[in-house]
Amino acid sequence: AKLYGNKMKLCILQSIALSQIGFAAAYAVFTATNLKVFFENVMNWDVDTVSLGVYIWLQALIFIPLALTRNIARLSGTALIADLFILLGLVYVYYYSAYYVITNGVASSTMVVFNKSHWSLFIGTAIFTFEGIGLLIPIQESMKNPQHFQASLSGVMIIVTIIFISSGLICYSAFGSHVETVVLLNFPQDTYYTALVQLLYALAILLSTPLQMFPAIRILEHWTFPSSLSGKYNPRVKWLKNYFRTFVVLGTTAIAWVGANDLDKFVSLVGSLACIPLIYIHPPLLHFKAAQQGNSPPVSKCVLLLDLVICVFGVGIMAYTSWQTISLWILP
């Protein structure tokens, strides 16, 4: 707000809120997909017994009470359990994919070096995957030793990058172009190991989704209710905010329901529209303005020019990938 005024502040907060709601909606679809397959395989239900939408809406029953949490530190317990489940699932993904490659060889016949028709989905999906700025400040504020945040963040990003790249490569090597958006669907569906991992992943994402909603709810709540209204000593205000948070959860669930049948395109669109500005547009603009006003260490004209180049690149790639994703979604 000090650099560009309240309009820029509003624009940045809108991007953060939209990205976090998009994350939560995408996770709800992922969870619903795994739960649907799990119950179909374990309970021998027919494919059309329970629709994907039912699994999506049922998650709201868990999200709503967790969304009423005011302190992000209270969600650390569920996040820790979710991390454990994801770790167990990753072990199985690496194991089976590697076993499949060793047994059947690399699926070179169906592998494509460069996908000309769908390559733009990769840009939005990759940015969606690594974007998480909305949680950085709340997590740092909740840390017992916030001075260790930078080292922790760097270590986490390195580990996560290695996991994303290696798991993607080994799964694509195993299944080639036939790899599913949810890779567990490529695994044998008649084994209890796959069913268990599907359940663990579903529970993991289910428990971590409220953490993704937290920044968006805080931002939207701040816009809706004056800062002078506190529910700490006023039950009426507290319940109004609770109703509002419930509405946000239901709205997010509705978005997930709409994008349920095209998870890959939905993820890419969220990454393009909401996450690209947070990485390639807003930061260079803020740095450029701060340097001009002398609010940052002196920088050369080349650095200022680079800020503008990155910003223009961000606008261009956002417009292109968004249009491409929408086109792929609308046109069969």
Side-chain angles (χ1 to χ4, degrees), residues 132-229:
I133 192 171
L135 285 172
L136 294 185
I137 295 177
I139 290 176
Q140 185 178 19
E141 290 178 345
S142 67
M143 290 180 65
K144 184 178 181 180
N145 299 303
Q147 66 272 17
H148 298 157
F149 177 75
Q150 184 62 50
S152 300
L153 177 63
S154 300
V156 167
M157 291 305 297
I158 292 173
I159 294 173
V160 165
T161 301
I162 294 173
I163 291 175
F164 284 153
I165 294 176
S166 60
S167 61
L169 284 174
I170 194 169
C171 290
Y172 191 62
S173 298
F175 308 110
S177 297
H178 299 297
V179 66
E180 297 284 348
T181 304
V182 180
V183 72
L184 291 175
L185 299 181
N186 288 108
F187 292 12
Q189 301 299 307
D190 56 350
T191 67
Y192 287 108
Y193 295 110
T194 300
L196 178 60
V197 171
Q198 287 170 335
L199 179 62
L200 289 178
Y201 261 124
L203 293 176
I205 303 303
L206 189 67
L207 293 173
S208 61
T209 299
L211 186 64
Q212 298 293 337
M213 289 186 183
F214 188 86
I217 289 177
R218 288 282 295 271
I219 291 171
L220 296 175
E221 190 177 73
H222 179 72
W223 288 344
T224 306
F225 297 93
S227 57
S228 58
L229 286 180

XYZ file of all heavy atoms in Angstrom, residues 132-229:
765
model
N 3.044 -20.962 -2.721
C 2.506 -21.120 -1.375
C 2.760 -19.898 -0.523
O 2.837 -19.985 0.699
N 2.872 -18.747 -1.185
C 3.231 -17.526 -0.459
C 2.178 -17.137 0.566
O 2.476 -16.508 1.585
C 3.474 -16.374 -1.463
C 4.139 -15.190 -0.765
C 2.164 -15.947 -2.126
C 4.596 -14.112 -1.710
N 0.934 -17.535 0.331
C -0.128 -17.168 1.259
C 0.022 -17.788 2.638
O -0.528 -17.283 3.618
N 0.783 -18.896 2.721
C 0.973 -19.562 4.006
C 2.284 -19.180 4.696
O 2.485 -19.509 5.861
C 0.949 -21.087 3.815
C -0.420 -21.721 3.581
C -0.277 -23.187 3.206
C -1.294 -21.582 4.812
N 3.168 -18.494 3.982
C 4.501 -18.224 4.536
C 4.435 -17.359 5.790
O 5.028 -17.693 6.827
C 5.382 -17.557 3.477
C 5.724 -18.421 2.259
C 6.692 -17.681 1.351
C 6.312 -19.758 2.684
N 3.749 -16.226 5.706
C 3.687 -15.321 6.849
C 2.943 -15.952 8.033
O 3.441 -15.895 9.174
C 3.048 -13.981 6.442
C 3.956 -13.253 5.431
C 2.809 -13.101 7.665
C 3.390 -11.953 4.913
N 1.767 -16.590 7.820
C 1.097 -17.231 8.969
C 1.959 -18.313 9.626
O 1.968 -18.429 10.856
C -0.168 -17.838 8.344
C -0.438 -16.989 7.155
C 0.915 -16.619 6.625
N 2.682 -19.098 8.817
C 3.529 -20.151 9.390
C 4.681 -19.541 10.171
O 5.008 -19.987 11.284
C 4.053 -21.086 8.275
C 2.911 -21.927 7.712
C 5.154 -21.999 8.823
C 3.310 -22.799 6.544
N 5.321 -18.516 9.615
C 6.434 -17.867 10.308
C 5.976 -17.261 11.632
O 6.670 -17.354 12.646
C 7.056 -16.796 9.420
C 8.305 -16.154 10.032
C 8.931 -15.125 9.115
O 8.288 -14.627 8.201
N 10.196 -14.814 9.342
N 4.797 -16.640 11.627
C 4.288 -16.021 12.849
C 3.942 -17.046 13.915
O 3.990 -16.739 15.116
C 3.049 -15.180 12.523
C 3.357 -13.922 11.718
C 2.102 -13.150 11.370
O 0.995 -13.725 11.502
O 2.224 -11.980 10.975
N 3.622 -18.266 13.504
C 3.243 -19.299 14.468
C 4.439 -20.105 14.970
O 4.288 -20.923 15.876
C 2.223 -20.258 13.833
O 2.816 -21.004 12.787
N 5.633 -19.867 14.402
C 6.829 -20.622 14.799
C 7.337 -20.178 16.166
O 7.267 -18.993 16.516
C 7.936 -20.457 13.752
C 7.662 -21.148 12.433
S 9.000 -20.912 11.231
C 10.348 -21.785 12.044
N 7.867 -21.123 16.919
C 8.479 -20.803 18.211
C 9.768 -20.036 18.018
O 10.092 -19.128 18.798
C 8.743 -22.107 18.986
C 9.297 -21.890 20.381
C 9.476 -23.211 21.105
C 10.004 -22.988 22.517
N 10.185 -24.273 23.241
N 10.526 -20.389 16.963
C 11.774 -19.699 16.632
C 11.693 -19.196 15.195
O 12.237 -19.826 14.280
C 12.983 -20.630 16.812
C 13.131 -21.126 18.234
O 13.237 -20.330 19.162
N 13.135 -22.446 18.418
N 11.019 -18.079 14.958
C 10.828 -17.588 13.582
C 12.124 -17.226 12.874
O 12.143 -17.143 11.647
C 9.943 -16.350 13.774
C 10.101 -15.954 15.201
C 10.362 -17.229 15.946
N 13.214 -17.035 13.624
C 14.490 -16.711 12.980
C 15.035 -17.886 12.174
O 15.926 -17.711 11.346
C 15.525 -16.272 14.032
C 15.949 -17.363 15.006
C 15.039 -17.449 16.235
O 13.916 -16.919 16.216
N 15.520 -18.092 17.270
N 14.504 -19.068 12.404
C 14.934 -20.255 11.660
C 14.084 -20.487 10.408
O 14.286 -21.492 9.716
C 14.856 -21.502 12.556
C 15.756 -21.432 13.754
N 15.531 -22.181 14.901
C 16.874 -20.714 13.981
C 16.465 -21.911 15.779
N 17.290 -21.022 15.247
N 13.165 -19.586 10.145
C 12.218 -19.808 9.049
C 12.917 -19.876 7.694
O 12.610 -20.746 6.875
C 11.164 -18.693 9.036
C 10.196 -18.796 7.889
C 9.192 -19.744 7.884
C 10.302 -17.944 6.791
C 8.303 -19.843 6.837
C 9.416 -18.034 5.736
C 8.412 -18.983 5.760
N 13.847 -18.961 7.423
C 14.496 -18.913 6.118
C 15.237 -20.211 5.810
O 15.132 -20.756 4.710
C 15.469 -17.732 6.057
C 16.140 -17.543 4.698
C 15.145 -17.259 3.589
O 14.286 -16.392 3.724
N 15.230 -17.990 2.500
N 15.984 -20.715 6.795
C 16.717 -21.971 6.593
C 15.757 -23.136 6.391
O 15.976 -24.001 5.532
C 17.628 -22.238 7.785
N 14.662 -23.141 7.154
C 13.677 -24.213 7.020
C 13.013 -24.173 5.650
O 12.838 -25.208 4.998
C 12.613 -24.090 8.115
O 13.192 -24.184 9.401
N 12.660 -22.965 5.206
C 12.007 -22.818 3.904
C 12.924 -23.275 2.772
O 12.482 -23.992 1.855
C 11.601 -21.361 3.689
C 10.963 -21.027 2.338
C 9.651 -21.790 2.166
C 10.718 -19.525 2.207
N 14.196 -22.898 2.826
C 15.144 -23.300 1.777
C 15.291 -24.816 1.727
O 15.274 -25.418 0.644
C 16.515 -22.646 2.029
O 16.412 -21.235 2.023
N 15.417 -25.434 2.895
C 15.541 -26.888 2.931
C 14.308 -27.586 2.406
O 14.406 -28.560 1.646
N 13.132 -27.084 2.782
C 11.876 -27.677 2.319
C 11.749 -27.565 0.800
O 11.359 -28.528 0.117
C 10.677 -27.002 3.011
C 9.373 -27.383 2.313
C 10.616 -27.396 4.476
N 12.089 -26.404 0.238
C 11.959 -26.204 -1.201
C 12.888 -27.128 -1.983
O 12.516 -27.661 -3.040
C 12.250 -24.747 -1.558
C 11.203 -23.762 -1.063
S 9.527 -24.166 -1.614
C 9.720 -24.019 -3.395
N 14.091 -27.338 -1.478
C 15.033 -28.246 -2.149
C 14.491 -29.676 -2.139
O 14.478 -30.367 -3.163
C 16.412 -28.179 -1.468
C 17.057 -26.812 -1.711
C 17.324 -29.285 -1.997
C 18.341 -26.593 -0.942
N 14.034 -30.120 -0.979
C 13.515 -31.489 -0.849
C 12.275 -31.680 -1.722
O 12.143 -32.684 -2.440
C 13.187 -31.791 0.624
C 14.477 -31.798 1.453
C 12.464 -33.130 0.749
C 14.236 -31.922 2.943
N 11.368 -30.714 -1.677
C 10.127 -30.816 -2.449
C 10.416 -30.842 -3.950
O 9.802 -31.609 -4.709
C 9.187 -29.644 -2.092
C 8.072 -29.515 -3.108
C 8.605 -29.835 -0.699
N 11.366 -30.017 -4.390
C 11.725 -29.992 -5.815
C 12.261 -31.347 -6.270
O 11.887 -31.858 -7.338
C 12.778 -28.901 -6.079
O 12.246 -27.626 -5.691
C 13.160 -28.865 -7.548
N 13.122 -31.931 -5.472
C 13.674 -33.248 -5.801
C 12.562 -34.294 -5.882
O 12.526 -35.128 -6.798
C 14.736 -33.658 -4.769
C 15.960 -32.728 -4.852
C 15.168 -35.117 -4.975
C 16.982 -32.960 -3.767
N 11.636 -34.252 -4.940
C 10.537 -35.224 -4.920
C 9.638 -35.053 -6.138
O 9.281 -36.027 -6.811
C 9.715 -35.082 -3.617
C 10.545 -35.536 -2.422
C 8.427 -35.899 -3.712
C 9.859 -35.318 -1.089
N 9.272 -33.813 -6.451
C 8.382 -33.568 -7.586
C 9.004 -34.050 -8.893
O 8.357 -34.735 -9.695
C 8.064 -32.078 -7.697
C 7.059 -31.603 -6.681
C 7.053 -30.288 -6.241
C 6.103 -32.470 -6.167
C 6.123 -29.852 -5.313
C 5.175 -32.043 -5.231
C 5.186 -30.731 -4.808
N 10.255 -33.683 -9.111
C 10.914 -34.033 -10.377
C 11.130 -35.539 -10.482
O 10.821 -36.161 -11.506
C 12.245 -33.282 -10.519
C 11.989 -31.772 -10.641
C 13.019 -33.783 -11.730
C 13.257 -30.938 -10.691
N 11.648 -36.143 -9.427
C 11.966 -37.574 -9.481
C 10.705 -38.430 -9.578
O 10.655 -39.386 -10.363
C 12.788 -37.981 -8.249
O 12.072 -37.724 -7.053
N 9.669 -38.100 -8.822
C 8.438 -38.892 -8.881
C 7.756 -38.737 -10.239
O 7.228 -39.708 -10.803
C 7.481 -38.485 -7.760
O 7.117 -37.119 -7.884
N 7.776 -37.522 -10.786
C 7.197 -37.314 -12.108
C 7.930 -38.092 -13.185
O 7.305 -38.716 -14.061
N 9.256 -38.092 -13.120
C 10.053 -38.807 -14.117
C 9.841 -40.312 -14.046
O 9.664 -40.974 -15.075
C 11.541 -38.482 -13.930
C 12.011 -37.110 -14.418
C 13.473 -36.890 -14.035
C 11.842 -36.988 -15.925
N 9.835 -40.850 -12.841
C 9.730 -42.301 -12.728
C 8.329 -42.782 -13.103
O 8.170 -43.848 -13.725
C 10.119 -42.771 -11.299
C 10.332 -44.285 -11.293
C 9.075 -42.378 -10.275
C 10.975 -44.798 -10.018
N 7.297 -41.992 -12.776
C 5.933 -42.384 -13.147
C 5.721 -42.261 -14.655
O 5.083 -43.126 -15.265
C 4.918 -41.527 -12.396
S 4.830 -41.854 -10.621
N 6.275 -41.225 -15.261
C 6.135 -41.071 -16.709
C 6.948 -42.135 -17.444
O 6.529 -42.629 -18.501
C 6.578 -39.678 -17.143
C 6.214 -39.345 -18.574
C 4.877 -39.308 -18.978
C 7.198 -39.078 -19.519
C 4.536 -39.015 -20.286
C 6.860 -38.777 -20.831
C 5.532 -38.748 -21.208
O 5.198 -38.461 -22.512
N 8.092 -42.500 -16.882
C 8.891 -43.568 -17.480
C 8.153 -44.892 -17.430
O 8.288 -45.728 -18.333
C 10.236 -43.694 -16.743
O 10.990 -42.510 -16.858
N 7.363 -45.085 -16.402
C 6.642 -46.350 -16.250
C 5.414 -46.424 -17.149
O 5.171 -47.442 -17.803
C 6.228 -46.530 -14.791
N 4.641 -45.349 -17.224
C 3.347 -45.414 -17.899
C 3.256 -44.565 -19.158
O 2.270 -44.661 -19.893
C 2.241 -44.999 -16.921
C 2.276 -45.759 -15.625
C 2.652 -45.134 -14.448
C 1.963 -47.109 -15.588
C 2.698 -45.834 -13.252
C 2.006 -47.818 -14.399
C 2.374 -47.185 -13.225
N 4.260 -43.734 -19.410
C 4.272 -42.933 -20.626
C 3.073 -42.013 -20.721
O 2.609 -41.463 -19.717
N 2.542 -41.857 -21.914
C 1.409 -40.951 -22.139
C 0.110 -41.461 -21.533
O -0.882 -40.731 -21.486
C 1.209 -40.731 -23.643
O 2.345 -40.106 -24.208
N 0.115 -42.700 -21.073
C -1.089 -43.254 -20.448
C -1.160 -42.945 -18.959
O -2.078 -43.421 -18.274
C -1.133 -44.775 -20.646
C -1.174 -45.190 -22.089
N -2.220 -44.859 -22.928
C -0.284 -45.892 -22.844
C -1.988 -45.347 -24.139
N -0.820 -45.979 -24.113
N -0.219 -42.178 -18.443
C -0.223 -41.843 -17.021
C -1.453 -40.993 -16.716
O -1.824 -40.091 -17.468
C 1.074 -41.101 -16.626
C 1.169 -39.741 -17.293
C 1.182 -40.979 -15.116
N -2.114 -41.308 -15.610
C -3.323 -40.596 -15.211
C -2.968 -39.329 -14.435
O -1.870 -39.207 -13.872
C -4.204 -41.491 -14.339
C -4.714 -42.744 -15.039
C -5.845 -42.439 -16.010
O -6.375 -41.310 -15.966
O -6.195 -43.332 -16.801
N -3.911 -38.389 -14.388
C -3.705 -37.182 -13.586
C -3.459 -37.553 -12.130
O -2.578 -36.997 -11.475
C -4.926 -36.247 -13.691
O -5.165 -35.949 -15.066
C -4.693 -34.963 -12.919
N -4.246 -38.480 -11.605
C -3.984 -39.083 -10.297
C -3.280 -40.400 -10.562
O -3.906 -41.385 -10.948
C -5.295 -39.297 -9.518
C -5.004 -39.922 -8.153
C -6.044 -37.973 -9.342
N -1.965 -40.439 -10.390
C -1.159 -41.565 -10.857
C -1.535 -42.876 -10.188
O -1.303 -43.964 -10.751
C 0.341 -41.258 -10.630
C 0.689 -41.333 -9.146
C 1.221 -42.209 -11.441
N -2.146 -42.828 -9.017
C -2.538 -44.064 -8.341
C -3.566 -44.855 -9.145
O -3.732 -46.056 -8.936
C -3.102 -43.746 -6.950
C -2.096 -43.220 -5.923
C -2.801 -42.833 -4.637
C -1.018 -44.255 -5.631
N -4.240 -44.199 -10.072
C -5.199 -44.903 -10.921
C -4.496 -45.811 -11.925
O -5.133 -46.687 -12.520
C -6.091 -43.893 -11.653
C -6.941 -42.979 -10.772
C -7.793 -42.048 -11.622
C -7.828 -43.802 -9.836
N -3.183 -45.609 -12.151
C -2.407 -46.497 -13.017
C -1.953 -47.756 -12.292
O -1.531 -48.720 -12.924
C -1.160 -45.772 -13.550
C -1.491 -44.727 -14.595
O -1.408 -43.534 -14.344
N -1.866 -45.177 -15.781
N -2.028 -47.741 -10.983
C -1.567 -48.870 -10.197
C -2.651 -49.946 -10.160
O -3.822 -49.661 -10.394
C -1.225 -48.421 -8.780
C -0.006 -47.523 -8.690
C 0.554 -46.959 -9.831
C 0.585 -47.238 -7.480
C 1.662 -46.141 -9.765
C 1.694 -46.419 -7.400
C 2.235 -45.865 -8.546
N -2.281 -51.208 -9.890
C -3.283 -52.281 -9.852
C -4.353 -51.984 -8.812
O -4.053 -51.770 -7.630
C -2.456 -53.520 -9.477
C -1.185 -52.992 -8.907
C -0.921 -51.699 -9.583
N -5.615 -51.962 -9.266
C -6.712 -51.572 -8.395
C -7.278 -52.738 -7.586
O -8.184 -52.538 -6.772
C -7.827 -50.944 -9.242
C -7.394 -49.724 -10.031
C -6.914 -48.590 -9.145
O -7.621 -48.178 -8.235
N -5.706 -48.090 -9.403
N -6.746 -53.936 -7.795
C -7.267 -55.100 -7.089
C -6.389 -55.513 -5.917
O -6.541 -56.611 -5.387
C -7.434 -56.273 -8.058
C -6.128 -56.622 -8.785
O -5.158 -55.837 -8.688
O -6.085 -57.666 -9.457
N -5.439 -54.660 -5.525
C -4.570 -54.985 -4.398
C -4.895 -54.080 -3.215
O -5.277 -52.909 -3.376
C -3.086 -54.804 -4.770
O -2.820 -53.419 -4.988
C -2.743 -55.582 -6.032
N -4.707 -54.627 -2.026
C -4.973 -53.843 -0.826
C -3.936 -52.753 -0.613
O -4.217 -51.745 0.049
C -5.024 -54.777 0.395
C -6.276 -55.609 0.448
C -6.232 -56.979 0.187
C -7.511 -55.030 0.750
C -7.391 -57.746 0.233
C -8.667 -55.788 0.794
C -8.606 -57.148 0.542
O -9.754 -57.895 0.580
N -2.719 -52.952 -1.179
C -1.686 -51.925 -1.036
C -2.113 -50.625 -1.729
O -2.008 -49.532 -1.146
C -0.360 -52.424 -1.627
C 0.241 -53.592 -0.890
C 0.273 -54.860 -1.455
C 0.776 -53.426 0.390
C 0.815 -55.942 -0.784
C 1.328 -54.506 1.077
C 1.345 -55.751 0.488
O 1.885 -56.810 1.160
N -2.598 -50.749 -2.954
C -3.044 -49.561 -3.684
C -4.243 -48.931 -2.987
O -4.318 -47.699 -2.853
C -3.413 -49.925 -5.124
O -2.275 -50.473 -5.789
C -3.892 -48.696 -5.889
N -5.171 -49.767 -2.543
C -6.358 -49.242 -1.867
C -5.978 -48.493 -0.589
O -6.518 -47.415 -0.293
C -7.318 -50.380 -1.537
N -5.023 -49.050 0.150
C -4.596 -48.411 1.394
C -3.930 -47.068 1.116
O -4.190 -46.074 1.810
C -3.641 -49.334 2.152
C -3.062 -48.769 3.460
C -4.187 -48.451 4.439
C -2.065 -49.742 4.073
N -3.070 -47.027 0.094
C -2.390 -45.776 -0.248
C -3.387 -44.735 -0.742
O -3.266 -43.545 -0.421
C -1.292 -46.037 -1.303
C -0.722 -44.725 -1.836
C -0.170 -46.879 -0.700
N -4.371 -45.161 -1.516
C -5.410 -44.223 -1.954
C -6.146 -43.622 -0.770
O -6.436 -42.417 -0.743
C -6.389 -44.933 -2.888
C -5.817 -45.220 -4.271
C -6.712 -46.121 -5.092
O -7.500 -46.891 -4.541
N -6.592 -46.041 -6.402
N -6.421 -44.463 0.233
C -7.095 -43.970 1.432
C -6.195 -43.025 2.214
O -6.642 -41.971 2.681
C -7.514 -45.148 2.308
C -8.221 -44.776 3.621
C -9.513 -44.031 3.339
C -8.489 -46.032 4.453
N -4.910 -43.379 2.337
C -3.974 -42.532 3.078
C -3.808 -41.169 2.413
O -3.796 -40.130 3.086
C -2.613 -43.222 3.199
C -2.539 -44.442 4.129
C -1.140 -45.048 4.100
C -2.904 -44.055 5.554
N -3.676 -41.177 1.072
C -3.546 -39.908 0.350
C -4.811 -39.071 0.507
O -4.746 -37.850 0.690
C -3.266 -40.166 -1.128
C -1.811 -40.050 -1.482
C -1.130 -41.097 -2.099
C -1.099 -38.879 -1.221
C 0.211 -40.997 -2.425
C 0.235 -38.770 -1.549
C 0.896 -39.832 -2.145
O 2.218 -39.722 -2.459
N -5.956 -39.720 0.411
C -7.214 -38.991 0.548
C -7.315 -38.354 1.931
O -7.688 -37.181 2.066
C -8.390 -39.940 0.313
N -6.953 -39.113 2.974
C -6.998 -38.575 4.328
C -5.972 -37.466 4.518
O -6.239 -36.469 5.209
C -6.756 -39.698 5.343
C -7.840 -40.773 5.440
C -7.420 -41.863 6.402
C -9.168 -40.162 5.862
N -4.802 -37.635 3.907
C -3.742 -36.623 4.032
C -4.186 -35.287 3.454
O -4.037 -34.231 4.086
C -2.471 -37.112 3.337
N -4.719 -35.321 2.243
C -5.168 -34.086 1.604
C -6.382 -33.527 2.332
O -6.542 -32.310 2.480
C -5.492 -34.331 0.122
C -4.263 -34.902 -0.596
C -5.916 -33.038 -0.547
C -3.033 -34.038 -0.508
N -7.225 -34.419 2.817
C -8.411 -33.994 3.558
C -8.016 -33.203 4.805
O -8.630 -32.180 5.137
C -9.237 -35.225 3.952
C -10.623 -34.982 4.556
C -11.547 -34.369 3.522
C -11.200 -36.295 5.074
N -6.964 -33.665 5.487
C -6.534 -33.009 6.723
C -5.749 -31.728 6.469
O -5.713 -30.837 7.321
C -5.679 -33.982 7.548
C -6.405 -35.197 8.123
C -5.427 -36.162 8.774
C -7.472 -34.766 9.133
N -5.103 -31.638 5.310
C -4.278 -30.458 5.021
C -5.041 -29.355 4.286
O -4.576 -28.212 4.237
C -3.052 -30.856 4.191
O -3.436 -31.419 2.949
N -6.196 -29.671 3.710
C -6.962 -28.667 2.974
C -7.381 -27.474 3.837
O -7.294 -26.328 3.385
C -8.200 -29.313 2.324
O -7.774 -30.328 1.405
C -9.014 -28.279 1.562
N -7.840 -27.671 5.087
C -8.178 -26.503 5.914
C -7.012 -25.542 6.103
O -7.221 -24.331 6.235
C -8.602 -27.129 7.250
C -9.115 -28.479 6.876
C -8.208 -28.931 5.763
N -5.785 -26.063 6.110
C -4.614 -25.198 6.223
C -4.483 -24.306 5.003
O -4.079 -23.139 5.108
C -3.356 -26.063 6.391
C -2.044 -25.321 6.679
C -2.114 -24.610 8.018
C -0.870 -26.293 6.653
N -4.848 -24.829 3.827
C -4.804 -24.031 2.605
C -5.896 -22.956 2.604
O -5.716 -21.875 2.040
C -4.967 -24.939 1.379
C -3.871 -25.975 1.212
C -2.526 -25.342 0.893
O -2.461 -24.225 0.385
N -1.457 -26.058 1.187
N -7.013 -23.257 3.233
C -8.108 -22.300 3.283
C -7.832 -21.143 4.243
O -8.409 -20.054 4.099
C -9.405 -22.995 3.721
C -10.013 -23.916 2.698
S -11.609 -24.505 3.309
C -12.071 -25.623 1.991
N -6.973 -21.367 5.214
C -6.789 -20.409 6.301
C -6.472 -18.992 5.815
O -7.132 -18.031 6.235
C -5.693 -20.914 7.246
C -5.546 -20.101 8.501
C -6.330 -20.355 9.609
C -4.616 -19.069 8.576
C -6.202 -19.609 10.766
C -4.486 -18.308 9.723
C -5.268 -18.581 10.827
N -5.471 -18.782 4.939
C -5.175 -17.408 4.498
C -6.336 -16.764 3.756
O -6.619 -15.578 3.950
C -3.952 -17.587 3.574
C -3.368 -18.893 3.949
C -4.520 -19.746 4.358
N -7.007 -17.534 2.896
C -8.124 -16.985 2.133
C -9.254 -16.551 3.060
O -9.851 -15.473 2.886
C -8.628 -18.011 1.125
N -9.558 -17.373 4.050
C -10.633 -17.032 4.995
C -10.276 -15.779 5.777
O -11.116 -14.890 5.977
C -10.893 -18.216 5.945
C -11.569 -19.363 5.180
C -11.765 -17.791 7.119
C -11.795 -20.603 5.998
N -9.020 -15.669 6.207
C -8.591 -14.488 6.962
C -8.734 -13.222 6.116
O -9.194 -12.183 6.596
C -7.141 -14.667 7.416
C -6.941 -15.680 8.525
C -7.327 -15.110 9.880
N -6.448 -14.009 10.244
C -5.304 -14.154 10.906
N -4.901 -15.372 11.274
N -4.562 -13.116 11.218
N -8.318 -13.304 4.852
C -8.383 -12.137 3.959
C -9.838 -11.741 3.698
O -10.214 -10.573 3.826
C -7.663 -12.438 2.634
C -6.154 -12.550 2.869
C -7.936 -11.349 1.602
C -5.386 -13.056 1.661
N -10.660 -12.712 3.339
C -12.061 -12.421 3.026
C -12.819 -11.933 4.263
O -13.679 -11.054 4.173
C -12.733 -13.671 2.459
C -12.176 -14.167 1.111
C -12.839 -15.486 0.721
C -12.384 -13.125 0.021
N -12.478 -12.494 5.414
C -13.122 -12.069 6.651
C -12.755 -10.627 6.988
O -13.591 -9.842 7.450
C -12.709 -13.010 7.789
C -13.491 -12.828 9.070
C -13.077 -13.840 10.120
O -11.967 -13.685 10.685
O -13.846 -14.777 10.382
N -11.505 -10.259 6.752
C -11.044 -8.894 7.018
C -11.758 -7.893 6.108
O -12.054 -6.771 6.524
C -9.536 -8.803 6.816
C -8.981 -7.432 7.047
N -8.877 -6.875 8.305
C -8.510 -6.488 6.178
C -8.365 -5.655 8.209
N -8.131 -5.402 6.931
N -12.032 -8.295 4.865
C -12.750 -7.417 3.943
C -14.219 -7.268 4.335
O -14.826 -6.228 4.121
C -12.674 -7.970 2.517
C -11.324 -7.849 1.893
C -10.291 -7.068 2.319
C -10.861 -8.520 0.727
N -9.204 -7.214 1.493
C -9.524 -8.102 0.504
C -11.419 -9.439 -0.146
C -8.766 -8.570 -0.563
C -10.663 -9.912 -1.203
C -9.351 -9.473 -1.406
N -14.791 -8.322 4.890
C -16.230 -8.342 5.161
C -16.593 -7.663 6.481
O -17.607 -6.969 6.574
C -16.745 -9.792 5.172
O -16.367 -10.433 3.944
C -18.259 -9.835 5.311
N -15.750 -7.875 7.493
C -16.052 -7.340 8.825
C -15.050 -6.245 9.196
O -13.840 -6.420 9.003
C -15.980 -8.458 9.874
C -17.000 -9.546 9.669
C -16.671 -10.677 8.921
C -18.261 -9.463 10.213
C -17.587 -11.690 8.721
C -19.194 -10.467 10.023
C -18.862 -11.582 9.274
N -15.509 -5.140 9.734
C -14.593 -4.082 10.190
C -13.640 -4.612 11.256
O -14.005 -5.497 12.048
C -15.545 -3.019 10.759
C -16.870 -3.295 10.135
C -16.917 -4.774 9.918
N -12.438 -4.065 11.276
C -11.430 -4.526 12.240
C -11.861 -4.261 13.685
O -11.377 -4.916 14.613
C -10.098 -3.829 11.967
O -10.252 -2.418 12.018
N -12.778 -3.322 13.871
C -13.239 -3.010 15.225
C -14.196 -4.066 15.774
O -14.415 -4.138 16.989
C -13.936 -1.646 15.236
O -15.040 -1.632 14.331
N -14.753 -4.896 14.882
C -15.674 -5.948 15.313
C -14.896 -7.212 15.671
O -14.286 -7.833 14.812
C -16.693 -6.258 14.218
C -17.806 -5.242 13.979
C -18.723 -5.727 12.865
C -18.615 -5.016 15.249
